[in-house]
Structure formats: structure tokens, C-alpha cells
Amino acid sequence: MKFSDLPTGFPSISKAVVGLLSEPIGPQPDIRSIGQKTFEAFLNNSSDLNNIKPRDWRNVPYAIWLKDSGGLFNRPDVIERYLNEELPKGLDEGRRPIKWGRPLIFIYIADFNPQDKLFVTIAKHTKNFYESTKINKSSKVVELAVSLNLFDVNEGPIKTAESIALSQTTFSEWINKHDLWLSFGTSPFAEAAFKAFLETNTELRRSNNFIRTVFEWGLLENGNLRYSKLRSKLADSLLLPWQSQKPTDDVQSKLMAFFIKTYGNPSDPNTNLWHGVNSEAIGVIKGWITGRTLEAFFRILQETADNIWQYREKFWMAYFKGGYIDDVCVALGSDGTSVLRRVDGSKQLRSSNLIGANSSQSVLLIRIGQLVFCEWSHNGKLRAQRIDAPSSPLMHKSYYDAEDLRFMSLDFNNGLNQDGGLVHFSAESGGWQERARLFIQKQTGVRLTQAEVTK
């Protein structure tokens, strides 16, 4: 009895028939070991290719590119005979032509290199092989390869990325669904598909599913990047969608924690992992860090009993929301450090140690354009200096001496006081806020109204 004679009206029987007729690709073999043995077989019979066994001809793809001993890519006579004689023969005469197809698909994924002319040539033969009517399309891997035009070196990675994006499943679930092998995710082809995945449309890149897939697909178990060459593209892909739209607190916290842990703080001069990342993407993460740092600072002032913390918050957050603050850092006494540990849920915000001051005191350093502002808590003055002045404090030092942060300030007081620093007088009626606002306007050109900095 032939399978074709079975009744087709019963779904379970039909499904079983398809399963019996199909032949799975199976797990990836030890490519390098088979390739080396195959290469040696050709070395031993280099003068007469007719002595090569069918099994070795079938395994030629494994022996084309070998890391240590070169490979058969240096033997155009072997490649030509394999592609034009032995492979067609295996397809036409073999009882199980998929046995000839397995080496092709494994090598296509493992040695994917669209810049190599020979690779492109072999990819075209692989495409023709799998699209032949003599190959059963019931195998999930074969079906996937044909439906995604997998063996087109340009279109294959893009369509694979689209399939993963539209699947609404995890990357692991997508691999299992299509009977792919575990090492698929580490392959050069998967890297090309991941690059295409990162270039998908902005709306999709804002979705939780996209972010989850990037983390699962693009990171190793230890948290390091799986594809280090795509470091800058990955950052651009995750951050640029948020230039004009604010993420939820959960998404922002997740992305901040990832980037600070993996790339480092972009304001830290000792890290170079942000090199090559789009400046606007860096601006997004800097903005998030700045916002969280400001929020944490004013929370610290609240809990360490600074009696005008809420007025400071309204003033400086107005400049932050207007996009005028370029950088911030905080120097904390021991009381403030304890509060920060408790209120920073991400555990990623950095602070500097403040020495030579009361334990309750804190300092906020703010850069707006070419000016650095030094905002002292607990009856301390607001000071400002140009960033190129000798007395101007550097941002993001590991510690600050209090005396260095009580530098000679530019004049907030119109020459009325010997010390140019601004006392926080009449906060409830907007006294110091008005004077600081006009100072910033004069020095930087940034214009905010009194209502904006006090309401």
C-alpha cells in the first residue's frame, strides 16, 4: 500500500502521512571535523577525482572554508565538478536528495558571507537545489527556507528578521517552531538577520516584544553582546525611537539599566563603548540619566530636611524639561548617599563623595552650555563659573572637596555683594529664582519666564 492511497479526509492520518514523507534536516553535525576529513580525502586523491567516494562529494560544502588548513575554495576544479556534476546527480539520482542538501544549508548558515563571490555562487546553487520539485517541502526547515527566500544573500536575512518580528514569540520559540538547531543564533547568518531586525520600523522598535527579543537574541547568558560588531547599531535601534516619545517608567528603567551596565555611563570619560553610536541616541540616554539624577537629588534633599527643596526642584526641572541641561552630577555627604541607595530602584545612578562638609549636605553640579552651576543644599549658595575657568569643577569626579565647590562665582548680585554666589532668599515669593533666571538668560541666552521656574 502506498501512502498516497490513504484517505485524506481524516486530518490526523493526513498529518501522519506528511510527517512520514518529510525528512527533517536534523541537528547540526560537527562541521569542522567532517570538513577536515573530507578535505584530506581530496588531498589524498588530488590527481584523480574519480577516486573520490560519493560520501566525500556530498560533504564538499563542509570542506570549502576551513579555518586552519585553507579548504577546497583553492580547488576550482573540485568546486566546479561538485556544483555542475555531482550535486545535480545527487538531486536527480539519489533516493534521499535531502542528504545532499543538509551540508549546503548548514554551511550557508555557518559561513554566511555575501561579500565572498564563491559563497554567493554556492548560495545560488543551494537556492536552486531547495526549490527543485524533487525536494520534499514538508520539512519545517525546508518550508522556512523556501518561504523566506533564505538562500538569497540579500533578501534572506531581511525576511528572517521580518518573520521573527511578526511571530510575537521569543527568539527561542521561533527557532524551535522551525526545527532549527541550537547554534543557529550564534551563526553569521543570524548576525545578518539580527542587523536587519535592528533596522525595522520605529513603531515596532518601541514595543515590549521588540525590546525583549533584542535582549534574548542579542545578548549572551553573561549579559555581554552576542554580536559585538553591532554594538553601535543596537544602541541606535533601542534609543532613537524615544527621541520624540517618552517611554513608560518600566521601559526606561530596563533600557537605562542595560546600557549603563553594558556600555557604561556615556558621560564617563573612561568608557569608549559609546564610540560610533549616533549622537542623538546618546542624547536620549543622557537625558534619561539626567532626569533620574535630578529626581533622586531632590528626593535626597527632601529626606535630609532641606527646607526649600521643592523650590529648587521646580526651578531646575523647568530647565531640564525645556531641554537646556546638558549634564548633571551629584556630590553627596554620607546622609545623601544612604538615601540614594534606597531611592534608586535601578541601582545604576552614580554619585560622587562630598568631603569636608556636613553629612547632610549635598551638591548638584549642572552644565548649561558653557556654564557649570554648583547648587549647594542646606543654606549653601548657588554658584556658577565658565567651564574653561581654572576654578570651574570638572564633572563626574569620584569625589569633591567642599572647598573646591565654594569657588569664586560669576556675579549673580549685580555687584552688590563681594561674593558673587547667590543666597536662596525669599524662595516662596520667587526672589532667588528671579535673580538666577535672569543670570542664566544673560549668560546663556536661555529664556524662561518667572512663572515657568516657580509654578
Side-chain angles (χ1 to χ4, degrees):
M1 182 180 184
K2 296 184 295 184
F3 289 127
S4 58
D5 295 332
L6 289 169
T8 59
F10 300 95
S12 296
I13 294 177
S14 298
K15 183 177 181 180
V17 169
V18 171
L20 288 169
L21 287 173
S22 66
E23 183 173 353
I25 294 296
Q28 179 176 284
D30 184 349
I31 289 177
R32 300 310 167 197
S33 176
I34 298 175
Q36 189 62 44
K37 291 179 180 178
T38 303
F39 183 63
E40 291 172 0
F42 279 88
L43 285 179
N44 295 332
N45 294 278
S46 58
S47 61
D48 189 357
L49 295 181
N50 292 323
N51 290 333
I52 300 296
K53 297 178 181 179
R55 178 190 62 194
D56 293 319
W57 278 115
R58 190 170 66 238
N59 289 332
V60 159
Y62 296 136
I64 295 177
W65 297 282
L66 297 176
K67 292 183 179 179
D68 299 324
S69 52
L72 293 177
F73 71 90
N74 287 316
R75 292 287 304 274
D77 56 329
V78 173
I79 300 298
E80 182 178 357
R81 175 165 171 174
Y82 166 76
L83 292 176
N84 297 319
E85 296 181 35
E86 302 298 336
L87 184 61
K89 188 192 303 181
L91 180 62
D92 292 336
E93 300 177 5
R95 291 181 302 169
R96 297 169 59 197
I98 197 64
K99 292 175 66 177
W100 286 79
R102 292 180 78 247
L104 288 169
I105 191 170
F106 284 128
I107 286 301
Y108 180 81
I109 299 299
D111 286 326
F112 185 78
N113 184 5
Q115 281 71 50
D116 185 323
K117 291 183 179 180
L118 176 58
F119 180 87
V120 173
T121 297
I122 293 174
K124 291 177 180 178
H125 283 268
T126 303
K127 178 175 167 37
N128 293 335
F129 182 92
Y130 273 94
E131 290 179 352
S132 169
T133 56
K134 297 173 183 178
I135 295 294
N136 189 287
K137 305 299 189 296
S138 299
S139 167
K140 291 182 180 180
V141 175
V142 175
E143 181 183 7
L144 180 74
V146 174
S147 65
L148 299 184
N149 200 11
L150 195 74
F151 302 115
D152 183 299
V153 296
N154 297 311
E155 195 171 270
I158 296 174
K159 285 191 168 292
T160 299
E162 290 175 353
S163 175
I164 294 170
L166 296 174
S167 69
Q168 297 295 308
T169 64
T170 67
F171 181 60
S172 298
E173 289 170 345
W174 185 87
I175 286 178
N176 292 333
K177 176 182 177 182
H178 298 290
D179 285 347
L180 293 167
W181 45 99
L182 291 177
S183 60
F184 174 86
T186 64
S187 67
F189 178 86
E191 181 173 1
F194 185 68
K195 179 177 180 290
F197 185 74
L198 295 176
E199 295 169 349
T200 190
N201 68 77
T202 299
E203 190 62 33
L204 177 63
R205 298 199 328 260
R206 292 194 186 109
S207 69
N208 287 323
N209 186 65
F210 177 84
I211 296 170
R212 181 196 66 199
T213 303
V214 167
F215 286 165
E216 182 199 3
W217 187 358
L219 300 182
L220 300 171
E221 289 185 2
N222 61 9
N224 292 335
L225 300 181
R226 185 185 298 278
Y227 313 115
S228 58
K229 293 179 182 178
L230 298 179
R231 171 184 50 80
S232 58
K233 184 171 288 293
L234 188 152
D236 290 344
S237 181
L238 288 176
L239 293 173
L240 288 176
W242 306 110
Q243 284 181 277
S244 58
Q245 183 172 325
K246 188 179 185 299
T248 63
D249 288 344
D250 180 61
V251 167
Q252 187 185 94
S253 295
K254 185 183 300 182
L255 293 176
M256 271 185 60
F258 162 68
F259 281 111
I260 292 175
K261 178 182 178 182
T262 308
Y263 288 63
N265 191 312
S267 297
D268 187 343
N270 296 318
T271 180
N272 61 1
L273 289 179
W274 290 97
H275 178 72
V277 176
N278 187 297
S279 60
E280 293 180 346
I282 295 176
V284 170
I285 187 70
K286 278 188 172 182
W288 292 349
I289 294 173
T290 295
R292 290 291 181 90
T293 301
L294 288 170
E295 291 170 0
F297 179 76
F298 297 122
R299 177 71 178 277
I300 289 169
L301 296 196
Q302 179 184 10
E303 298 207 14
T304 54
D306 177 275
N307 57 12
I308 62 164
W309 70 268
Q310 65 270 46
Y311 300 103
R312 301 178 193 266
E313 180 179 31
K314 290 175 183 177
F315 184 86
W316 292 114
M317 289 304 290
Y319 285 92
F320 170 69
K321 291 175 181 177
Y324 301 117
I325 293 181
D326 297 302
D327 198 7
V328 300
C329 64
V330 294
L332 306 177
S334 57
D335 294 352
T337 300
S338 297
V339 176
L340 181 63
R341 290 196 192 103
R342 180 161 45 82
V343 302
D344 176 23
S346 70
K347 307 301 179 186
Q348 298 295 333
L349 295 180
R350 296 177 56 203
S351 66
S352 306
N353 292 324
L354 178 62
I355 59 177
N358 294 332
S359 63
S360 62
Q361 283 192 293
S362 302
V363 177
L364 176 66
L365 293 174
I366 302 172
R367 183 171 67 82
I368 298 178
Q370 298 302 303
L371 294 184
V372 173
F373 294 85
C374 183
E375 174 77 311
W376 274 87
S377 72
H378 296 86
N379 299 318
K381 293 181 179 180
L382 171 62
R383 300 174 183 276
Q385 192 51 265
R386 299 193 178 279
I387 59 175
D388 57 356
S391 61
S392 180
L394 297 175
M395 304 289 283
H396 304 287
K397 292 174 61 177
S398 59
Y399 70 91
Y400 291 91
D401 189 291
E403 286 305 310
D404 292 336
L405 298 182
R406 296 190 180 105
F407 52 83
M408 183 62 69
S409 173
L410 296 175
D411 187 17
F412 283 88
N413 306 308
N414 302 315
L416 297 177
N417 297 331
Q418 185 176 1
D419 187 341
L422 179 62
V423 175
H424 295 82
F425 68 94
S426 303
E428 291 185 5
S429 60
W432 70 265
Q433 297 96 312
E434 172 73 356
R435 194 172 292 182
R437 178 185 70 83
L438 292 175
F439 174 89
I440 293 173
Q441 180 175 304
K442 179 181 179 181
Q443 296 288 337
T444 69
V446 174
R447 294 177 177 270
L448 291 181
T449 65
Q450 180 71 349
E452 288 175 305
V453 300
T454 57
K455 302 300 182 184

